[in-house]
Amino acid sequence: CNNIYDSYLAGIGVKVIYLNSKKYSLKTILKLRCSLKTITPDIIHSHLFPSLYYVVLASLGLNIKLVTTEHSTSNSRLRNNKFKWIEKFIYSYYDRVVAISDGVKDVYSSYLPSYRQKIIKIENGVDLKLFKDYKLSSDYLGVDEDIFIITMVARFSSAKDQNTLVRS
């Protein structure tokens, strides 16, 4: 697997291991476990499902600190109480759960109250002050100067709520 970051990462001494597995394959867990035994990391930081689960299962018994980041106040796992016992098992192995906002922290603190002490908030990783005075010119965009320009960087999904941006 080659992507635009491979040569950059190699140049700064970062080794990337591609598992080349299907998203919902048990082989992914086995390949990940083999990699973890080889590289023996101190910490694994996961994002999103199913990696949230795979990391726990692949690292069982390997004495690796686990951190995961939760990005949303709503997902199918939160809405389906049938799987809450699995969630409790999985989150029990995480040393920290990073929430990207107060809302996410509140949701996960309520959802998994026994793990409340593990949940910390780390807001936006981008220092927005760096962009405070940045203006995208109407000239650059090829539109009239009286056109109001808004920008949003996000995937198009109900969770990102573009409707509120447009209404604003």
Side-chain angles (χ1 to χ4, degrees):
C1 204
N2 268 331
N3 69 50
I4 60 172
Y5 301 108
D6 283 349
S7 59
Y8 170 76
L9 292 170
I12 61 170
V14 175
K15 182 180 179 184
V16 178
I17 299 169
Y18 294 100
L19 299 178
N20 296 323
S21 298
K22 292 181 178 159
K23 187 175 180 180
Y24 296 111
S25 169
L26 292 177
K27 286 182 182 177
T28 303
I29 299 167
L30 299 174
K31 287 180 179 181
L32 179 57
R33 185 165 180 86
C34 287
S35 293
L36 295 177
K37 284 181 170 183
T38 302
I39 62 175
T40 63
D42 296 312
I43 300 172
I44 300 173
H45 185 183
S46 68
H47 292 255
L48 307 174
F49 180 85
S51 65
L52 167 78
Y53 285 23
Y54 291 177
V55 162
V56 167
L57 297 173
S59 66
L60 286 173
L62 297 181
N63 196 28
I64 301 170
K65 297 271 186 200
L66 302 181
V67 176
T68 191
T69 296
E70 289 296 347
H71 298 264
S72 180
T73 57
S74 177
N75 63 49
S76 56
R77 295 180 353 260
L78 291 169
R79 291 187 299 268
N80 192 340
N81 278 333
K82 288 190 285 188
F83 298 107
K84 195 167 183 178
W85 67 272
I86 295 172
E87 294 279 286
K88 286 181 179 182
F89 170 80
I90 293 296
Y91 282 98
S92 73
Y93 285 91
Y94 279 95
D95 296 279
R96 287 285 181 265
V97 177
V98 177
I100 64 154
S101 68
D102 286 325
V104 173
K105 183 177 180 182
D106 292 346
V107 164
Y108 279 87
S109 293
S110 294
Y111 179 62
L112 299 167
S114 57
Y115 303 124
R116 184 174 283 135
Q117 76 285 355
K118 293 182 177 188
I119 304 169
I120 61 169
K121 178 186 76 168
I122 300 177
E123 288 194 80
N124 195 343
V126 176
D127 184 357
L128 297 177
K129 291 177 198 143
L130 296 173
F131 302 96
K132 183 178 104 175
D133 296 324
Y134 181 78
K135 297 209 182 342
L136 193 59
S137 73
S138 52
D139 261 357
Y140 177 80
L141 293 174
V143 297
D144 291 336
E145 199 171 300
D146 61 341
I147 299 292
F148 184 73
I149 301 167
I150 58 175
T151 304
M152 180 176 183
V153 179
R155 72 179 183 275
F156 286 101
S157 71
S158 59
K160 299 302 178 183
D161 194 18
Q162 283 86 6
N163 289 331
T164 296
L165 175 67
V166 172
R167 283 192 313 271
S168 297

